[in-house]
Amino acid sequence: MNQLEQPKFSRDLGYVDIGHDVWIGGYCVLKGGIRIGTGSVIAAGSVVVKDVPAYTIMGGNPAKPIRPRFDEDTVQLLLKSEWWNVEPQAIRDLPMFDIPAFCSSLGELRAKGLAPSFNPPLLTLQDGEIVVKN
């Protein structure tokens, strides 16, 4: 008589690396081991099984690119600026709706030493609890 083994399932499917300034809609499923690029948007209810490029809107099951949020030059400008690493108070008066002007102004603030680094604590999940790491 043949006996069937119980399947061996693991809850640890790998870390999901989520970039900066990402919006993930409700009821999404993210496969372990993927990277969600900075500035991406994941539509509600999507099933993401592959890496998501920076500043891309994704949706569906399986999730597919819907469209880029910006042209490639603007994406590279935003990524190079690393604005998410700057203290929010320092950039609040910059022209947020004009990306080239925003990035240029941020560069000027950095050159003057007026763009201090933003270093929030790292939050992780450990045994079902949120843990703050400094």
Side-chain angles (χ1 to χ4, degrees), residues 53-69:
Y55 292 97
T56 301
I57 301 170
M58 300 280 284
N61 179 7
K64 293 182 177 18
I66 294 171
R67 67 176 177 85
R69 288 182 61 197

Side-chain angles (χ1 to χ4, degrees), residues 1-127:
M1 175 172 167
N2 290 337
Q3 285 190 316
L4 296 176
E5 280 187 34
Q6 286 282 25
K8 295 177 181 152
F9 293 106
S10 169
R11 294 190 79 201
D12 184 12
L13 299 175
Y15 179 76
V16 176
D17 185 0
I18 301 174
H20 304 279
D21 190 33
V22 170
W23 184 85
I24 299 173
Y27 306 103
C28 287
V29 176
L30 308 176
K31 178 182 173 241
I34 63 170
R35 170 147 174 60
I36 310 293
T38 292
S40 297
V41 173
I42 310 297
S46 296
V47 177
V48 185
V49 297
K50 294 182 180 177
D51 289 351
V52 176
Y55 292 97
T56 301
I57 301 170
M58 300 280 284
N61 179 7
K64 293 182 177 18
I66 294 171
R67 67 176 177 85
R69 288 182 61 197
F70 307 108
D71 63 76
E72 188 58 29
D73 289 342
T74 301
V75 168
Q76 292 308 313
L77 192 61
L78 286 165
L79 291 173
K80 185 179 175 191
S81 78
E82 294 187 9
W83 63 266
W84 52 86
N85 288 327
V86 179
E87 193 65 48
Q89 291 295 91
I91 62 173
R92 71 178 187 182
D93 293 328
L94 298 184
M96 301 279 181
F97 295 104
D98 182 346
I99 294 171
F102 171 84
C103 292
S104 176
S105 298
L106 178 56
E108 292 170 12
L109 285 179
R110 282 190 168 125
K112 295 176 185 174
L114 298 174
S117 294
F118 181 56
N119 298 308
L122 177 65
L123 303 178
T124 62
L125 192 60
Q126 190 172 45
D127 298 323

